[in-house]
Amino acid sequence: MSSGSSRRRRRRRGWILGIVLGLVALYAAAYISVYATPSDSYDVHDVDAVFILGPPTDDRIAAGERIAQEAGGVPVYLSVWHGVVCKPQFVCVHAAPWTTSGEAAALSEAVASDGLKHPVVVTGDEHVMRSRYIFGRCVPIPAPVVGISEPMDLGMRLWQPIYQWAAMVKAVVGGCSAD
């Protein structure tokens, strides 16, 4: 075996190790950016509506109802898919498309039709970064985004950074209702 082929193998292994370490570092950065993005701050005394993004999980609904009560019983808008029966305590909206940017468009419609001035958006903590970007871009007024921790299996928790960043690229490239 020649020293030249041995050097090529070491070089190839070095490249492979470098690529693997680079991918691990990239994934770690994506994971941290998704799960370490803090919720926006807001003054509960200014809140005039709570907008809960879908899917309408029990945890999101509980957090939204708590914020609404703290704000003096303001309306709770709930993003649901078509065919869901809306309970009377909610203002149910059917975003079209049923995506984050579609939900931003639905909030924009509520701002225009219901005169909202200080809504708060509630979503899962893994979704705060992207929601903040989309709502900041597509809603004509500030809409702070509050993330809540929801139960998630390990596979889904590990998948979310990949999904959220892919969807973020799509949001940056697309328009306000193309998410």
Side-chain angles (χ1 to χ4, degrees):
M1 183 179 328
S2 75
S3 66
S5 64
S6 177
R7 248 184 306 211
R8 281 192 296 272
R9 273 192 292 247
R10 279 195 307 264
R11 194 174 299 136
R12 188 179 309 134
R13 275 185 267 171
W15 274 103
I16 291 170
L17 180 60
I19 290 169
V20 168
L21 289 176
L23 289 173
V24 168
L26 184 62
Y27 178 82
Y31 188 92
I32 290 167
S33 68
V34 166
Y35 287 110
T37 302
S39 295
D40 288 324
S41 60
Y42 61 93
D43 182 350
V44 73
H45 302 294
D46 289 338
V47 173
D48 61 359
V50 176
F51 195 91
I52 302 171
L53 301 186
T57 64
D58 291 340
D59 292 327
R60 291 181 191 193
I61 291 170
E65 287 180 322
R66 180 186 47 75
I67 294 169
Q69 287 302 323
E70 291 172 356
V74 300
V76 176
Y77 291 73
L78 189 62
S79 178
V80 297
W81 48 91
H82 288 284
V84 171
V85 176
C86 190
K87 295 181 180 174
Q89 72 265 34
F90 301 117
V91 178
C92 286
V93 295
H94 303 283
W98 201 61
T99 62
T100 306
S101 63
E103 290 171 319
L107 178 56
S108 293
E109 289 175 26
V111 165
S113 65
D114 301 344
L116 302 181
K117 302 228 184 302
H118 301 283
V120 169
V121 176
V122 176
T123 190
D125 60 2
E126 75 285 351
H127 192 222
V128 170
M129 176 188 67
R130 185 164 58 94
S131 296
R132 181 181 295 145
Y133 173 78
I134 293 169
F135 279 76
R137 180 179 176 190
C138 300
V139 176
I141 60 173
V145 178
V146 175
I148 58 150
S149 182
E150 298 177 282
M152 192 179 304
D153 67 43
L154 181 61
M156 185 58 75
R157 185 160 294 280
L158 293 173
W159 167 248
Q160 281 300 312
I162 297 166
Y163 174 81
Q164 292 300 332
W165 271 103
M168 177 64 104
V169 169
K170 186 177 177 186
V172 168
V173 172
C176 281
S177 62
D179 180 41

